[in-house]
């Protein structure tokens, strides 16, 4: 029997949800199985919530499948910076052909990530409780870890989707029975979030516009139109799905963006809550491919 705080950490997410496509999420679960003990060790040594480490690794590396992770063992998208003396590789990210660190092993990447967050820039995060994953997620965005305006929402969605907060509160003292219970009751709830007055949810592995429309009771055609999609299909994991019409302008302070690896004009439009037609009109002569820099104003 599962009892005590082990069940209390997951029961809140089990209400009024649909069964997810577990098969589609298998890569993410395999990643968690492989690295959760390492994340807990780093929590105990460095004070960084295991849930945050795992969520960032899952998001930044696409569960270990990104080019940076597969070829450079870089699971956290950490760029070279002036102090880096090791091997390097170049990829399109916030700007074309940016320099990223290369590690000998994934474990080396995890340790460098922990050391990276111990820098002065992120010091205020360590005033938060280790179980405050939402505060940590928002703090990482505020401290500039990522330029993505929805970075915190993505991390929080991943943490709650896979009950990663369990590793924070239990300090890794999870029995096989508890882990099996969590896996069996993984939920596909999509909390409705809001940014710039736009309501949206974050897509999970295996989601389609039809499945989200059904869960939220929204007309599928309207949902697809809001998101500039003509044909339904699996949505890119952790991408925004807007429940209202997007805006004609970029957020304040955002002037341009580079199409990164695995992205497109549509990805950029979703990231900043802009209509795809507006992005295309601003970039009529720009190729829709990674490395292209898009004007957003």
């Amino acid at each position: 029997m599962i009892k005590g705080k082990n069940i209390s950490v997951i029961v809140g997410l089990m209400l009024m949800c649909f069964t997810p496509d577990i098969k589609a999420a298998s890569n993410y679960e395999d990643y968690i199985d492989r690295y959760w003990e390492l994340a807990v060790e780093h929590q105990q040594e460095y004070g960084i919530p295991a849930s945050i480490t795992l969520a960032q690794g899952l998001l930044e590396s696409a569960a270990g499948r990104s080019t940076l992770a597969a070829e450079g063992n870089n699971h956290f998208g950490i760029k070279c910076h002036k102090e880096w003396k090791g091997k390097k590789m170049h990829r399109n990210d916030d700007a074309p052909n940016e320099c990223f660190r290369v590690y000998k092993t994934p474990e080396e990447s995890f340790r460098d990530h922990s050391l990276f967050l111990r820098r002065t820039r992120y010091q205020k995060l360590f005033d938060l409780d280790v179980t405050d994953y939402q505060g940590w997620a928002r703090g990482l965005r505020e401290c500039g870890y990522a330029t993505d305006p929805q970075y915190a929402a993505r991390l929080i969605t991943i943490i709650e989707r896979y009950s990663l907060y369990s590793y924070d509160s239990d300090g890794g003292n999870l029995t096989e029975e508890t882990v099996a219970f969590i896996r069996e009751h993984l939920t596909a709830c999509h909390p409705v979030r809001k940014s710039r007055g736009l309501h949206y949810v974050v897509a999970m592995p295996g989601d389609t516009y039809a499945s989200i429309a059904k869960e939220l009771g929204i007309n599928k055609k309207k949902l697809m139109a809001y998101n500039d999609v003509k044909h339904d299909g699996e949505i890119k994991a952790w991408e925004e799905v807007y429940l209202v019409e997007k805006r004609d302008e970029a957020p304040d302070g955002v002037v341009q963006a580079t199409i990164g690896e695995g992205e497109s004009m549509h990805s950029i439009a979703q990231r900043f809550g802009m209509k795809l037609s507006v992005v295309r009109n601003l970039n009529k002569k720009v190729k829709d491919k990674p490395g292209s820099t898009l004007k957003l104003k």
Side-chain angles (χ1 to χ4, degrees):
M1 178 182 294
I2 307 299
K3 56 186 178 179
K5 66 179 180 180
N6 286 333
I7 193 168
S8 68
V9 296
I10 60 175
V11 69
L13 295 180
M14 291 172 53
L15 304 177
M16 300 178 65
C17 298
F18 290 85
T19 302
D21 183 346
I22 298 297
K23 183 177 180 180
S26 61
N27 288 321
Y28 291 86
E29 293 177 20
D30 290 345
Y31 188 95
I32 296 166
D33 282 341
R34 181 175 178 181
Y35 294 115
W36 74 265
E37 290 179 297
L38 182 61
V40 169
E41 288 177 11
H42 282 212
Q43 174 177 309
Q44 295 167 347
E45 184 174 355
Y46 298 102
I48 301 163
S51 63
I52 288 293
T53 298
L54 287 168
Q56 285 194 282
L58 285 163
L59 178 61
E60 298 285 353
S61 76
R65 294 173 296 162
S66 71
T67 301
L68 278 177
E71 298 181 9
N73 287 315
N74 188 333
H75 285 237
F76 298 93
I78 297 181
K79 297 176 183 177
C80 293
H81 303 289
K82 294 181 179 179
E83 70 272 15
W84 181 247
K85 304 300 181 183
K87 291 185 177 181
K88 307 171 183 178
M89 66 185 299
H90 293 80
R91 306 298 301 172
N92 298 314
D93 192 59
D94 294 329
N97 203 37
E98 289 197 281
C99 182
F100 289 88
R101 303 181 182 190
V102 171
Y103 305 96
K104 294 180 181 179
T105 64
E107 289 73 16
E108 188 177 300
S109 173
F110 272 70
R111 183 165 298 280
D112 194 41
H113 168 261
S114 294
L115 293 173
F116 191 81
L117 292 188
R118 292 298 307 187
R119 301 192 314 172
T120 303
R121 181 176 188 175
Y122 302 100
Q123 195 59 46
K124 72 175 186 178
L125 296 179
F126 294 88
D127 293 332
L128 300 172
D129 193 282
V130 75
T131 62
D132 185 8
Y133 65 88
Q134 293 192 15
W136 270 83
R138 296 187 181 103
L140 283 169
R141 171 68 183 92
E142 291 168 1
C143 291
Y145 190 96
T147 57
D148 177 3
Q150 262 60 267
Y151 191 73
R154 293 188 217 283
L155 292 182
I156 291 169
T157 298
I158 293 172
I159 290 169
E160 294 177 348
R161 168 67 176 82
Y162 295 107
S163 300
L164 299 182
Y165 43 73
S166 302
Y167 301 113
D168 302 336
S169 59
D170 285 358
N173 296 320
L174 295 174
T175 65
E176 292 184 6
E177 185 183 15
T178 301
V179 173
F181 182 83
I182 292 173
R183 290 292 168 78
E184 182 182 353
H185 293 85
L186 285 175
T187 60
C189 273
H190 292 79
V192 178
R193 308 186 189 279
K194 187 177 181 181
S195 176
R196 291 204 302 150
L198 301 175
H199 290 90
Y200 69 98
V201 298
V202 177
M204 300 176 190
D207 278 344
T208 63
Y209 288 99
S211 67
I212 290 178
K214 180 179 180 181
E215 178 183 325
L216 300 180
I218 297 174
N219 181 279
K220 184 183 77 170
K221 290 185 178 180
K222 283 187 176 181
L223 185 65
M224 291 171 63
Y226 293 151
N227 291 277
D228 303 308
V229 174
K230 294 182 179 179
H231 304 287
D232 195 11
E234 186 171 338
I235 305 168
K236 182 180 178 181
W238 321 122
E239 184 171 83
E240 297 88 349
V241 176
Y242 291 92
L243 310 181
V244 294
E245 189 174 43
K246 292 181 290 182
R247 297 193 177 279
D248 293 322
E249 70 283 344
D252 291 341
V254 177
V255 178
Q256 64 181 34
T258 298
I259 301 176
E261 178 185 348
E263 291 188 323
S264 63
M265 281 192 185
H266 182 267
S267 302
I268 300 299
Q270 295 300 98
R271 183 192 307 171
F272 295 107
M274 295 179 66
K275 295 176 183 175
L276 181 57
S277 59
V278 173
V279 176
R280 284 177 173 163
N281 286 335
L282 289 170
N283 299 276
K284 293 180 180 179
K285 296 183 179 180
V286 179
K287 293 183 178 180
D288 189 353
K289 67 176 186 177
S292 296
T293 298
L294 304 177
K295 295 179 181 178
L296 298 182
K297 286 192 178 178

